Amino acid sequence: MDKKLKLLTYGCQMNVADSERMAGLLAKIGYTLSDDIETADLILFNTCCVRATAEDKVYGQIGRLKALKRARPELIIGVAGCLAQKDGENLIKRNSHVDFVLGTGQSSEVARVVESLERERKHFVDTSNVSGEIPTEVFPVRGGTVSTFVPIMYGCDNFCTYCIVPHVRGRERSRKPEEIFSEVRQAVAEGFKEITLLGQNVNSYAGGMTFAQLLTAVDKISGVARLRFMTSHPKDLSDELIAAIANGENICEHIHLPVQHGSDKILRRMNRVYTVENYLRLVEKIRAAIPNVSLTTDLIVGFPGETDEDFSATLNFLREVKFDAAFTFIYSKRSGTPAASFDEQVADEIKHSRLESLMKVQNEISLAKNRLLKDSVVEVLVEGASKTDENIFTGRTRSNKLILFAHGNEHAGDFVNVKISQAQTFLLKGTVQ
Ligand code: SAH
Ligand code: SF4
Ligand code: F3S
């Protein structure tokens, strides 16, 4: 019998990849993906808890399913991912209409758990092994059309003092190169043109070769037209990796390099183990070796102890580095992390006003950088029609910038040259040459 699965995925790319794997396992026991929550036989949440807002969103959505479950008791509701790992049993205590909770180390058990619940209903919780084995055989049901994710490692050992990820994702575990290669080949055979290798910190890949060697090897796989990776921790982005990108054929000239803050005092308190000076020198080295490289980053405002002076240091740092784009976050207290009990928590109004100033400064920089591209011709991987207008197509440059252009006869997956006619803060517009 064909059963319907509604999958709700929150959080980062790692969760997207995990959801695709769970969808693959559930397909083997008869579940096909569906958009409709009302008629689903199984509703599965793959959750995030990196900030309180992420967590609230999930709890809000789970809460809204109470009535549906009452009307259709045969419906199975499951919660997997990082919030499931963090809250475990408590999640079911707060939401008795949830049938099962599966931690991050157990996601490959999802089909077994669902089958047993189909036979007999009772609450099931397993968050026992956060650093669980990575399955060697995977058959993801991939979303997207031209671009897809391949995880190369799980977990994080860095323990930045604000971050819950090491607690809910466990210790670093690397996949074997052969398994990664075979998954990449599988994705290429399915028609994907762009592969993004994923890990919380890809530089500490330890599957029997360095990350730079792995990247170079994947670059040689036939059919990988574009290769990306994320995320890189500045503390160990090696010269070898910079050279691999510079010399690579299809490795895109884009590095996402989260800095988090522009003051040494705060970086120390965050346990980031580099200084502003180290970071600036690294950027210089990258820019010297990889012309036209695009650099993006993550920043946190309102970390405990952040003074006006520390915050100004972040603004000055942004003006100096000139990132192409930055993801900016308000510090969110995560209980169980060291920073949650630090003194001098910053007041909410200050956090919000700092976020606003930060975004204003970065937006001006992003716009100025994009304007420099005006009249140049860039290679674009076509993604398809835009959400709002079927005559406008979208795509991405190698530097990972979104670009819009009038549709001619190109299709998703094609490479076209586009001349940039207009630059905005978050996107470019142009015409196909
Ligand atoms: N492993 C990656 C990203 C992990 S989470 C890395 O190290 O870069 C993505 C981003 O969320 C982080 O870079 C950080 O900027 C932000 N983040 C993590 N914990 C946070 C918290 N408690 N409050 C606000 N932002 C946080
Ligand atoms: Fe979190 Fe730091 Fe690990 Fe990134 S490197 S996941 S910010 S602990
Ligand atoms: Fe969120 Fe987990 Fe990713 S906490 S950001 S989904 S690793």
Side-chain angles (χ1 to χ4, degrees), residues 292-296 322-326 362-378 396-397 399-404 419-430:
N292 300 324
V293 68
S294 144
L295 287 177
T296 56
K322 297 192 175 62
F323 290 104
D324 290 80
Q362 180 54 43
N363 287 350
E364 281 166 15
I365 296 167
S366 299
L367 180 60
K369 292 213 84 166
N370 284 347
R371 280 192 176 141
L372 293 177
L373 297 172
K374 206 166 164 256
D375 297 328
S376 64
V377 176
V378 286
R396 294 219 172 234
T397 65
S399 57
N400 207 29
K401 292 181 196 254
L402 181 66
I403 184 156
L404 270 53
K419 185 168 181 186
I420 297 168
S421 54
Q422 204 190 327
Q424 300 180 4
T425 308
F426 302 110
L427 58 85
L428 303 166
K429 289 181 179 171

Side-chain angles (χ1 to χ4, degrees), residues 248-264:
E249 193 175 342
N250 299 310
I251 306 172
C252 293
E253 298 77 15
H254 168 222
I255 305 181
H256 183 59
L257 194 62
V259 66
Q260 312 298 359
H261 212 277
S263 136
D264 283 338

Side-chain angles (χ1 to χ4, degrees), residues 50-51 162 200 231 258 260 298 300 329-332 334:
V50 75
R51 284 168 289 275
Y162 49 82
Q200 296 301 342
T231 299
Q260 312 298 359
D298 291 349
I300 296 177
F329 306 107
I330 287 183
Y331 169 70
S332 171
R334 303 286 67 206

Side-chain angles (χ1 to χ4, degrees), residues 378-419:
V378 286
E379 181 204 85
V380 172
L381 172 56
V382 178
E383 287 172 350
S386 77
K387 283 196 189 91
T388 46
D389 183 348
E390 64 183 34
N391 296 315
I392 300 293
F393 264 40
T394 67
R396 294 219 172 234
T397 65
R398 284 176 68 98
S399 57
N400 207 29
K401 292 181 196 254
L402 181 66
I403 184 156
L404 270 53
F405 51 91
H407 181 219
N409 47 19
E410 53 287 310
H411 303 97
D414 289 352
F415 285 93
V416 291
N417 288 322
V418 178
K419 185 168 181 186

Side-chain angles (χ1 to χ4, degrees), residues 191-212:
F192 290 93
K193 297 282 164 62
E194 178 178 278
I195 304 288
T196 303
L197 303 180
L198 286 184
Q200 296 301 342
N201 174 18
V202 290
N203 305 317
S204 55
Y205 175 75
M209 54 171 78
T210 64
F211 177 62

Side-chain angles (χ1 to χ4, degrees), residues 153-196:
M153 55 192 296
Y154 282 81
C156 179
D157 289 351
N158 290 317
F159 290 96
C160 303
T161 55
Y162 49 82
C163 187
I164 194 83
V165 172
H167 306 266
V168 293
R169 283 278 175 176
R171 297 294 61 75
E172 281 176 4
R173 291 144 282 157
S174 296
R175 295 178 75 197
K176 293 203 176 61
E178 308 76 61
E179 285 166 27
I180 297 167
F181 302 152
S182 116
E183 188 178 337
V184 169
R185 281 193 292 265
Q186 189 188 34
V188 167
E190 287 174 36
F192 290 93
K193 297 282 164 62
E194 178 178 278
I195 304 288
T196 303

